[in-house]
């Protein structure tokens, strides 16, 4: 692999010897997001979630949400016994215990195992602190540091995934309207979609045309760049129709968590929000719909687009979604 974004390391933490392969998301969400900066402790938590079969991003995000609730006094020990031992951010022992409770769905862990959106609904509090889109916990990429990146989160079929396209260039949201970078976001999403279709690592610096040429070499099937790009457009259209029919209401679900509209308090993105304001967000999302060939008001692929993409059979489904 020319990228080598991860490698196995042998570690010993508090008498436990193990091998683990840390990567960016696991280090971010089980380390910095939880206020834990002891490397061996973070590696142990990564090893633990891997052994228990729970996701490092959702687990770290949900526990961080709980720790903030504890620090703000929004949830107390008289509700759940485990909270007697939770000091707040940086408490490795408490995080370890919470991970185990989540994995085995015991006590408070049974609620946290539902994810941050459902957990806030069950407890009846903390929704404004919950960092998710469409119920999927966000990973370690804060859109307050990249203009129009929050549109990728807001419009993605599965929610807050950092793997659904990146806008270019990499500039702060405060530098101008997010709407201006939507063409580059769509280009990035289409490229990422083809990576997924081919099973190729997204970190490799291939263009869409590079991938097309690789496909032709391997399969012997000649495809134009437009036909190749339409594979992504069809995938995006069908995912959108299915999502709206099943659970997504674009007006309410193509949004971002309230926290991302709060200015960054410190760091290189200090003072930056995900969008200039609410109007900037809505204009950018509608521009995404428009450039996709979707209904601008409702975010649903139009019949005209579906016929153009060879998906005439899906027109009735799209009309039902409206």
């Amino acid at each position: 692999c020319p990228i080598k974004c991860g490698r196995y390391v042998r570690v010993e933490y508090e008498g436990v010897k193990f091998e683990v392969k840390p990567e960016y998301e696991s280090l971010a969400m089980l380390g910095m997001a939880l206020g834990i900066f002891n490397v061996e402790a973070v590696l142990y938590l990564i090893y633990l979630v891997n052994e228990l079969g729970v996701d490092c991003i959702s687990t770290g995000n949900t526990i961080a949400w709980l720790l903030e609730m504890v620090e703000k006094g929004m949830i107390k020990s008289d509700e759940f016994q485990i909270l007697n031992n939770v000091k707040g951010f940086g408490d490795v022992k408490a995080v370890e215990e919470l991970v185990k409770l989540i994995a085995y769905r015991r006590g408070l862990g049974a609620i946290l195992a539902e994810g941050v959106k459902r957990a806030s609904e069950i407890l009846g509090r903390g929704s404004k602190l919950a960092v998710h889109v469409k119920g999927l916990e966000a990973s370690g990429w804060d859109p307050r540091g990249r203009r129009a990146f929050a549109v990728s989160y807001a419009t993605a079929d599965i929610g807050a995934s950092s793997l659904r396209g990146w806008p270019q260039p990499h500039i702060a949201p405060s530098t101008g309207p997010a709407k201006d970078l939507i063409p580059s976001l769509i280009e990035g999403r289409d490229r990422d979609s083809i990576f997924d279709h081919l099973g190729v690592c997204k970190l490799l610096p291939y263009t869409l045309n590079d991938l097309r040429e690789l496909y032709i070499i391997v399969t012997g099937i000649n495809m134009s760049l437009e036909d190749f790009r339409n594979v992504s457009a069809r995938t995006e259209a069908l995912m959108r129709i299915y999502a709206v029919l099943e659970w997504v209401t674009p007006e309410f679900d193509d949004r971002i968590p309230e926290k991302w509209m709060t200015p960054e308090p410190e760091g290189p993105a200090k003072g930056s929000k995900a969008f200039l304001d609410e109007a900037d967000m809505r204009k950018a999302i509608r521009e995404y719909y428009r450039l996709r060939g979707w209904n601008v008001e409702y975010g649903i692929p139009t019949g005209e687009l579906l016929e153009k993409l060879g998906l005439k059979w899906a027109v009735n489904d799209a009309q039902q979604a409206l």
Side-chain angles (χ1 to χ4, degrees):
C1 172
I3 304 298
K4 296 181 176 63
C5 59
R7 69 187 180 105
Y8 281 97
V9 292
R10 292 189 178 93
V11 187
E12 181 172 352
Y13 176 72
E14 296 197 348
V16 180
K17 294 181 179 180
F18 56 92
E19 286 189 359
V20 68
K21 184 184 179 185
E23 295 181 289
Y24 170 76
E25 296 293 357
S26 55
L27 290 168
M29 302 312 294
L30 294 171
M32 290 175 286
L34 299 174
I36 300 172
F37 299 97
N38 178 318
V39 176
E40 286 76 16
V42 176
L43 293 175
Y44 172 69
L45 292 174
I46 296 171
Y47 165 76
L48 184 63
V49 300
N50 288 344
E51 289 295 296
L52 293 173
V54 293
D55 179 69
C56 66
I57 294 174
S58 289
T59 301
N61 184 312
T62 304
I63 292 177
W65 168 78
L66 175 72
L67 295 180
E68 185 169 7
M69 292 247 288
V70 169
E71 290 198 347
K72 291 181 181 297
M74 296 171 65
I75 182 169
K76 299 181 180 179
S77 57
D78 57 358
E79 296 181 75
F80 297 97
Q81 186 176 1
I82 175 65
L83 297 179
N84 284 311
N85 303 318
V86 176
K87 300 181 180 66
F89 287 97
D91 188 340
V92 180
K93 288 295 183 185
V95 171
E96 178 183 1
E97 184 62 24
L98 287 166
V99 168
K100 293 175 181 177
L101 290 177
I102 288 171
Y104 291 104
R105 286 183 172 268
R106 293 173 181 160
L108 178 58
I111 297 175
L112 298 179
E114 294 292 319
V116 70
K117 178 179 183 291
R118 287 278 296 124
S120 67
E121 293 169 350
I122 293 167
L123 292 174
R125 74 203 86 157
S127 61
K128 291 186 177 181
L129 302 178
V131 182
H132 72 88
V133 177
K134 299 183 177 77
L136 179 65
E137 292 77 21
S139 58
W141 304 91
D142 193 320
R144 290 177 288 184
R146 191 175 189 129
R147 183 170 155 197
F149 188 37
V151 180
S152 184
Y153 281 132
T155 59
D157 55 303
I158 58 172
S161 171
S162 60
L163 300 175
R164 288 296 191 269
W166 291 68
Q168 299 293 340
H170 186 171
I171 51 178
S174 58
T175 57
K179 177 181 176 182
D180 296 347
L181 300 189
I182 301 306
S184 70
L185 170 58
I186 291 175
E187 178 78 17
R189 180 166 293 184
D190 285 348
R191 173 180 172 273
D192 281 357
S193 176
I194 295 298
F195 272 107
D196 287 339
H197 281 292
L198 295 178
V200 178
C201 172
K202 291 184 179 180
L203 298 180
L204 297 170
Y206 295 143
T207 65
L208 203 58
N209 193 54
D210 290 334
L211 294 170
R212 182 186 72 90
E213 291 180 354
L214 287 170
Y215 176 80
I216 293 171
I217 291 169
V218 172
T219 66
I221 300 172
N222 193 19
M223 291 181 70
S224 69
L225 189 58
E226 182 181 3
D227 287 341
F228 208 59
R229 191 188 302 276
N230 281 344
V231 172
S232 298
R234 283 196 295 273
T235 302
E236 186 83 358
L238 291 174
M239 288 192 301
R240 184 64 171 190
I241 293 168
Y242 174 78
V244 175
L245 285 174
E246 291 297 322
W247 81 93
V248 171
T249 304
E251 182 181 355
F252 300 103
D253 293 315
D254 285 0
R255 304 188 68 84
I256 61 171
E258 191 169 306
K259 272 196 165 188
W260 287 344
M261 290 302 284
T262 303
E264 279 279 13
E266 58 186 359
K270 183 177 180 180
S272 181
K273 299 183 293 184
F275 294 99
L276 298 175
D277 50 35
E278 180 80 10
D280 182 42
M281 177 176 74
R282 298 319 306 172
K283 287 178 183 177
I285 290 174
R286 289 191 175 194
E287 180 70 356
Y288 181 85
Y289 296 163
R290 186 184 74 82
L291 293 179
R292 273 293 185 201
W294 298 357
N295 180 295
V296 176
E297 188 68 28
Y298 301 108
I300 310 291
T302 63
E304 181 183 1
L305 171 70
L306 294 171
E307 290 198 28
K308 177 184 174 182
L309 295 174
L311 298 173
K312 187 176 181 179
W313 56 268
V315 172
N316 287 338
D317 292 310
Q319 290 173 345
Q320 287 181 41
L322 281 173

